Structures are given as structure tokens and as C-alpha cells.
């Protein structure tokens, strides 16, 4: 172990009242690995460049992913941080733990790695930071023993994740956690043995508030919605009006993006056919309004954050799908997408980019779906679509 | 940099054990590399994969995508993992003496 070296540049990052990753690292600095990690980091600030090499390849027997190899090019000076691999662990759906489980995970990690964790990574996995190659199989063995498994990495199905849905949230239009668990179990092969052109993320939100931001980053988003009318509790509306904490005309009705609400000072009117299920009015008046009773999900495709290409938002693929086990329709759809994209996608081409390249029309035809108006962004203002507004509607 | 010694050949390998001097690859080297990836003996199935990977790599300068590998060798992904427990990218490509794959096999 290298002895404790001064880290004046990193110390600067501890100043101020806000959280600091340096503070957190120093708390764990009893591990020689973390000590050397701080050393490498300080050097990176001195040199104004990173010292991590790109693209290591380590793993466990039977899996093609789950561990990301990280090597440091200053291995001679900082031998305890020479190998600092990342281990991804499939989180429980909705991120629920008992404190016992967290203790078990942390104990495993203190025995075999740096002790540094990240609850949770962008995809949703639990992340163990800083493993030596020689410890990977041991960590894996103990995780399995504790009932956990590795998550996805590389060109595979990444660990599916979801919002806490029905466990805590009254807006959930379907059981996101049950679906996520089911998909995770169904697609174990695709998760652990990469065989896609590039990564594929599935994220599930219980309602259009989309708390896991599926629409902006998942290749397949499953977002809860309803087909019938928003439920209105007239008494509660009156109470909101009388209570005065909220100005129904200005804060709710005027902000409805579809312009489909009315307010006469006493009762709320909603033209449900024009409602775009944005959740605004429901979020603003949670005691008075609620999603309808005929519930399911909208399936969207093609979202991604900026990596190789630019960011893409998802587009609607299936406007409404009922979400009940065993979710056969959804699974069939997912398999059809993988088959087509798997056969014709280019190396490192996300499914959204693939659809842009071949065209949505071709894509739908190949996976056997009919085009629908919901697939078009803002169909009523799109110049390629003729739309006759009914009287009194935008 | 680390090295492996096979008979009278010494070859440079990277941190993950991929050989850095592809021209020194031969059958004995493949066997030595296989042992580092939990493969004790290279059978006919192993060679079908290794030979295909080498041919493809020599032609195109990259490793094939996994789906193509399965199709062309007629092997299911699960069978490939039975032969190479660490998978086609880490196991088979290493034994075949290919450069380390980046994203895909
Ligand atoms: S996405 Fe909707 S259902 Fe899920 S936690 Fe957020 S508000 Fe609740
Ligand atoms: S959910 Fe959105 S679009 Fe629908 S009525 Fe409420 S505010 Fe308007």
C-alpha cells in the first residue's frame, strides 16, 4: 500500500456546504484501493487528463457481461488501484431492500473489493466499484448465495428497471414491479449473454409522470395510461376551489397542454377524447382527479441518451396494451423487435437509430403492426396529416 | 507488459490476456490461451468457432457480430457458452488470437 499522500486539489472539492464525492471517498479510505484511487484522481487533476484506460474485458464463467474492466495506466505508482473493475448487480424491482440485505451486500463488497458502492447506476443496477480480476468469481459466488445476480453490460438487454409503482404510488396504472421482475426472469439469456447490435434498455413507469424517465433513455418504454375518462371527485374539486391554495383556472385549466379543460367557477369539464394523458391536472389536484379505471400501458420505442449519436425521444409503438401476466403480447412484440434489429441493425446502432435509418413504415410492416395516429408526434398540427377540428376543440 | 511463454515462443499479452502479436499465434498458443479461459481441451466444436473467427477477422479486420457468428457456425449461443464459458467475446476471440473486441463480439 502506498502511504497517505497529500491531495490538495481534491481537498478543494470538499469545500462548501454541498455533498462531495471526495468526502465520501475519504470516509472509505481505510481501504488501500481507495487510498490509491484518491492518488490517481489527484494526479488526473494535476495533469488535467484521465488516467483510466478504455475497454477492459473481464467476466465470470457462463456470462458475457455484468463486469466492466477498468485499468489504470499508472499501475506502477498506484498498484492498489491498478485493477478497478465495475460490477453491475441486478437491483430488486422498485429498489426495495431490507437493511439486512444492504448490510449483506456491503459485507460481501468489503471482503472482496474496495467497499465503494453506487446505489444505483443510470440503468438502475447496484454498482460495486473497484474489483480486482482475481476476486470477481468470488464476489459473483457470494452474490448468488445471497440471492442476487449480475446485471447486464455490453450489447445485451440491460437490467430492466421501473418506478416503485403500486408499492407506493396511487397513480400506477399497472404493476410495474411485477412486469419488471417477469421480464427480467423471461429474458435471462438476453441479459447475460450479449447478442444484440448494441445495448437495449427496457424501463417501466406506472403512469405518464414517468418517474424513471423511460421516454428519454429507454429503447423500449412501457408507460402506464388509461383509456376511459379521468375520474373526478366533485366534492374535492369544490374544496380545492374554496381552499384557495390553487387557482384552478390559471394553474390547472390554462396549463392543460391539450386545451381540453373548462372551469366555470364551480365544476371542471374535461373533453377526455382530446386529453393527451399528461398528468398535469391530476398532479395539481391529486385529491380531486385520478387516472381512469380502464388501465394499461402505452409502449414506446427508440429513446436514447447521447452516446455515439445524438439523443432521441421515444415514439409510440402501441397506444394501449393491457398489462396482465403473462404479458404474452408484449413479449411477442419485444421478440419481433429483437429479431428484426438483430438481423439488420449495424454494429453499435441503437434501435431508435435503426428505425430512423429504415423508416418507421418499414419497421412497423416488418414487426407486423399497423400505423396509428398516436405514432405521429402532435398529429393535429402535423402538416402531413389532415385534421378537422370539431367545434370547440383546439 | 505481461507475457506468455509457449514452447520457445514468448508473446506479449495485455491486462486481459489478449495477445498483442497476432503473427505469433499458432495451435499451441491457442491451447495455452484456452486454459486461461477455463477450457482444458480444444475440441472440434472449439476449432469450428476459432477458425471461423480467424477467417472473418482476416477478411474484414473486425470480429463478426454474435448473431452472425451463431448463424454461420450453426451454433446456438448457449452452445458457444458451453464451449467457451466466458463467452464468444472474451473466450473465443482470445483463443483465436484476435485483437480485443470493443463493444460487440
Ligand atoms: S411513474 Fe407514475 S406510477 Fe410510477 S412512481 Fe411516478 S407517479 Fe407513481
Ligand atoms: S391529463 Fe393533461 S391533457 Fe389531460 S386533461 Fe389533464 S392537463 Fe389536460
Amino acid at each position: 500500500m502506498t502511504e497517505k499522500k497529500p491531495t490538495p486539489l481534491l481537498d478543494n472539492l470538499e469545500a462548501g456546504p454541498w455533498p462531495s464525492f471526495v468526502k465520501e471517498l475519504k470516509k472509505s479510505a481505510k481501504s488501500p484501493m481507495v487510498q490509491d484511487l484518491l492518488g490517481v484522481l489527484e494526479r488526473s487533476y494535476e495533469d488535467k487528463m484521465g488516467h483510466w484506460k478504455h475497454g477492459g474485458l473481464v467476466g465470470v464463467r457462463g456470462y458475457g457481461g455484468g463486469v466492466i474492466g477498468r485499468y489504470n495506466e499508472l499501475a506502477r505508482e498506484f498498484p492498489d488501484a491498478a485493477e478497478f473493475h465495475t460490477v453491475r448487480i441486478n437491483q430488486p424491482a422498485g429498489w426495495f431492500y431490507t437493511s439486512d440485505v444492504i448490510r449483506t451486500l456491503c459485507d460481501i463488497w468489503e471482503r472482496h473489493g474496495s467497499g465503494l458502492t453506487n446505489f444505483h447506476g443510470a440503468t438502475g443496477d447496484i454498482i460495486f466499484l473497484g474489483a480486482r480480476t482475481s476476486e470477481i468469481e468470488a464476489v459473483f459466488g457470494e452474490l448468488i448465495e445471497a440471492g442476487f445476480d449480475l446485471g447486464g453490460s455490453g450489447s445485451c438487454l440491460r437490467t430492466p428497471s421501473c418506478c416503485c409503482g403500486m408499492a407506493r404510488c396511487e397513480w400506477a396504472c399497472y404493476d410495474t414491479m411485477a412486469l419488471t421482475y417477469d421480464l427480467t426472469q423471461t429474458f435471462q439469456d438476453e441479459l447475460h449473454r450479449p447478442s444484440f447490435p448494441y445495448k437495449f434498455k427496457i424501463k417501466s413507469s406506472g403512469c405518464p409522470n414517468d418517474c424513471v424517465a423511460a421516454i428519454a433513455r429507454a429503447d423500449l418504454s412501457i408507460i402506464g395510461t388509461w383509456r376511459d375518462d379521468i375520474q373526478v371527485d366533485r366534492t374535492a374539486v369544490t374544496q380545492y376551489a374554496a381552499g384557495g391554495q390553487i387557482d384552478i383556472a390559471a394553474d390547472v385549466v390554462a396549463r392543460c397542454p391539450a386545451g381540453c379543460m373548462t372551469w366555470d367557477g364551480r365544476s371542471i369539464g374535461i373533453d377526455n377524447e382530446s386529453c393527451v394523458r399528461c398528468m398535469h391536472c391530476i398532479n395539481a389536484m391529486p385529491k380531486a382527479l385520478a387516472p381512469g379505471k380502464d388501465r394499461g400501458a402505452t409502449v414506446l420505442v427508440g429513446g436514447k441518451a447521447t452516446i455515439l449519436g445524438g439523443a432521441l425521444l421515444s415514439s409510440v409503438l402501441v397506444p394501449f396494451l393491457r398489462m396482465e401476466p403473462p404479458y404474452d403480447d408484449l413479449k411477442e412484440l419485444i421478440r419481433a423487435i429483437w429479431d428484426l434489429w438483430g438481423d439488420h441493425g449495424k454494429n453499435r446502432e441503437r434501435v431508435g437509430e435503426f428505425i430512423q435509418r429504415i423508416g418507421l413504415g418499414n419497421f412497423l410492416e416488418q414487426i407486423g403492426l399497423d400505423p396509428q395516429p398516436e405514432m405521429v408526434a402532435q398529429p393535429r398540427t402535423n402538416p402531413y396529416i389532415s385534421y378537422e377540428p370539431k367545434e370547440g376543440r383546439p | 507488459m505481461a507475457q506468455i511463454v509457449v514452447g520457445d515462443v514468448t508473446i506479449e499479452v495485455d491486462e486481459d490476456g489478449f495477445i498483442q502479436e497476432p503473427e505469433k499465434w499458432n495451435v499451441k498458443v491457442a491451447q495455452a490461451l484456452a486454459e486461461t479461459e477455463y477450457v482444458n481441451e480444444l475440441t472440434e466444436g472449439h476449432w469450428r468457432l476459432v477458425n471461423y473467427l480467424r477467417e472473418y477477422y482476416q477478411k474484414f479486420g473486425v470480429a463478426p457480430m454474435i448473431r452472425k457468428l451463431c448463424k454461420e457456425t450453426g451454433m446456438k449461443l448457449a452452445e458457444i457458452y458451453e464451449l467457451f464459458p466466458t463467452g464468444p467475446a472474451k473466450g473465443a476471440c482470445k483463443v483465436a488470437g484476435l485483437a480485443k473486441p470493443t463493444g460487440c463480439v
Side-chain angles (χ1 to χ4, degrees):
Chain A
M1 176 184 159
T2 36
E3 71 209 79
K4 212 168 174 173
K5 293 204 184 93
T7 53
L9 294 172
L10 290 183
D11 297 349
N12 268 328
L13 296 173
E14 288 184 275
W18 33 80
S20 154
F21 73 96
V22 174
K23 236 179 249 173
E24 298 297 319
L25 283 175
K26 284 187 178 171
K27 272 195 223 160
S28 304
K30 58 181 193 275
S31 151
M33 294 184 80
V34 178
Q35 197 61 251
D36 270 4
L37 176 69
L38 285 164
V40 180
L41 207 56
E42 176 76 14
R43 183 66 59 81
S44 293
Y45 280 101
E46 279 165 15
D47 300 348
K48 295 191 169 58
M49 62 180 281
H51 287 296
W52 297 99
K53 299 191 201 175
H54 192 75
L57 203 54
V58 284
V60 298
R61 263 188 277 183
Y63 287 5
V67 186
I68 300 115
R70 300 261 188 254
Y71 295 98
N72 149 20
E73 57 186 17
L74 306 175
R76 215 161 295 188
E77 278 173 84
F78 302 101
D80 282 311
E83 295 168 357
F84 213 87
H85 310 318
T86 300
V87 184
R88 289 198 182 140
I89 300 148
N90 199 141
Q91 80 286 4
W95 300 289
F96 285 96
Y97 304 89
T98 61
S99 70
D100 257 358
V101 164
I102 296 188
R103 275 172 229 280
T104 305
L105 289 171
C106 291
D107 286 348
I108 293 175
W109 195 226
E110 279 194 349
R111 276 198 294 280
H112 295 291
S114 75
L116 294 178
T117 61
N118 169 9
F119 280 74
H120 300 86
T123 300
D125 304 91
I126 305 161
I127 312 274
F128 283 0
L129 294 155
R132 293 192 171 89
T133 310
S134 57
E135 295 291 318
I136 301 281
E137 286 285 353
V139 173
F140 181 48
E142 290 205 32
L143 284 171
I144 296 281
E145 193 99 324
F148 279 83
D149 196 355
L150 296 187
S153 72
S155 298
C156 67
L157 168 63
R158 296 297 180 83
T159 315
S161 77
C162 63
C163 75
C164 61
M166 287 186 171
R168 296 196 47 168
C169 182
E170 59 193 313
W171 303 146
C173 293
Y174 71 97
D175 191 341
T176 52
M177 296 188 299
L179 173 69
T180 298
Y181 182 74
D182 188 312
L183 293 178
T184 306
Q185 296 295 348
T186 304
F187 297 125
Q188 281 288 297
D189 238 8
E190 287 80 0
L191 208 167
H192 296 304
R193 295 176 194 96
S195 63
F196 295 158
Y198 202 12
K199 64 180 109 175
F200 192 93
K201 299 189 177 189
I202 300 181
K203 291 190 191 297
S204 307
S205 282
C207 81
N209 279 336
D210 192 10
C211 289
V212 289
I215 201 165
R217 38 188 207 144
D219 298 275
L220 193 84
S221 310
I222 302 153
I223 300 182
T225 189
W226 62 95
R227 269 196 299 204
D228 54 348
D229 296 351
I230 290 179
Q231 303 183 61
V232 185
D233 178 339
R234 307 258 161 222
T235 326
V237 173
T238 318
Q239 280 163 2
Y240 271 109
Q245 322 97 309
I246 186 166
D247 178 344
I248 296 182
D251 298 338
V252 184
V253 174
R255 292 203 173 138
C256 166
C260 68
M261 300 183 84
T262 56
W263 171 244
D264 60 8
R266 266 191 321 210
S267 70
I268 269 183
I270 301 173
D271 170 13
N272 280 279
E273 240 181 273
S274 295
C275 163
V276 295
R277 275 61 174 164
C278 78
M279 291 296 288
H280 169 66
C281 60
I282 299 174
N283 292 334
M285 305 169 70
K287 289 183 184 142
L289 305 177
K293 290 180 176 157
D294 184 11
R295 297 175 173 189
T298 300
V299 181
L300 302 96
V301 72
K304 67 180 276 285
T306 309
I307 306 181
L308 293 184
L312 291 174
L313 277 183
S314 308
S315 318
V316 171
L317 197 57
V318 184
F320 187 89
L321 198 59
R322 207 165 293 286
M323 281 294 141
E324 275 151 17
Y327 314 103
D328 284 336
D329 290 347
L330 178 66
K331 287 174 189 169
E332 198 185 310
L333 178 70
I334 293 174
R335 289 202 175 94
I337 294 172
W338 286 346
D339 274 345
L340 181 68
W341 171 58
D343 274 345
H344 303 287
K346 293 184 189 165
N347 195 7
R348 311 204 115 199
E349 182 177 49
R350 294 282 284 271
V351 75
E353 294 157 346
F354 170 70
I355 295 172
Q356 281 193 330
R357 178 162 64 83
I358 68 165
L360 184 64
N362 280 331
F363 178 78
L364 293 173
E365 196 181 313
Q366 296 289 329
I367 60 169
L369 284 180
D370 290 330
Q372 312 229 18
E374 286 90 341
M375 294 169 180
V376 180
Q378 299 172 345
R380 291 180 184 180
T381 49
N382 187 311
Y384 294 102
I385 292 181
S386 90
Y387 166 72
E388 295 283 331
K390 277 197 217 160
E391 211 175 312
R393 273 192 203 161
Chain B
M1 204 169 257
Q3 296 175 327
I4 56 162
V5 183
V6 185
D8 46 13
V9 201
T10 305
I11 308 181
E12 301 267 312
V13 296
D14 74 358
E15 310 92 334
D16 294 319
F18 280 76
I19 60 168
Q20 302 298 291
E21 302 161 286
E23 65 288 349
K24 291 191 183 167
W25 184 92
N26 62 36
V27 173
K28 286 232 169 66
V29 170
Q31 254 138 14
L33 291 168
E35 276 161 38
T36 68
E37 293 296 321
Y38 309 105
V39 179
N40 295 324
E41 200 198 330
L42 288 170
T43 64
E44 199 200 314
H46 292 101
W47 282 113
R48 186 144 37 110
L49 279 168
V50 167
N51 289 334
Y52 175 74
L53 283 172
R54 287 187 63 80
E55 270 165 37
Y56 190 98
Y57 190 78
Q58 271 154 13
K59 225 192 231 164
F60 300 105
V62 289
M65 281 162 67
I66 303 271
R67 254 176 121 87
K68 191 164 179 67
L69 177 69
C70 292
K71 264 196 191 140
E72 303 276 321
T73 57
M75 283 188 203
K76 292 211 176 70
L77 193 56
E79 293 174 88
I80 297 181
Y81 274 87
E82 260 162 44
L83 293 169
F84 291 99
T86 49
K90 183 166 179 282
C93 284
K94 182 189 285 185
V95 173
L98 270 52
K100 185 154 65 189
T102 44
C104 252
V105 161

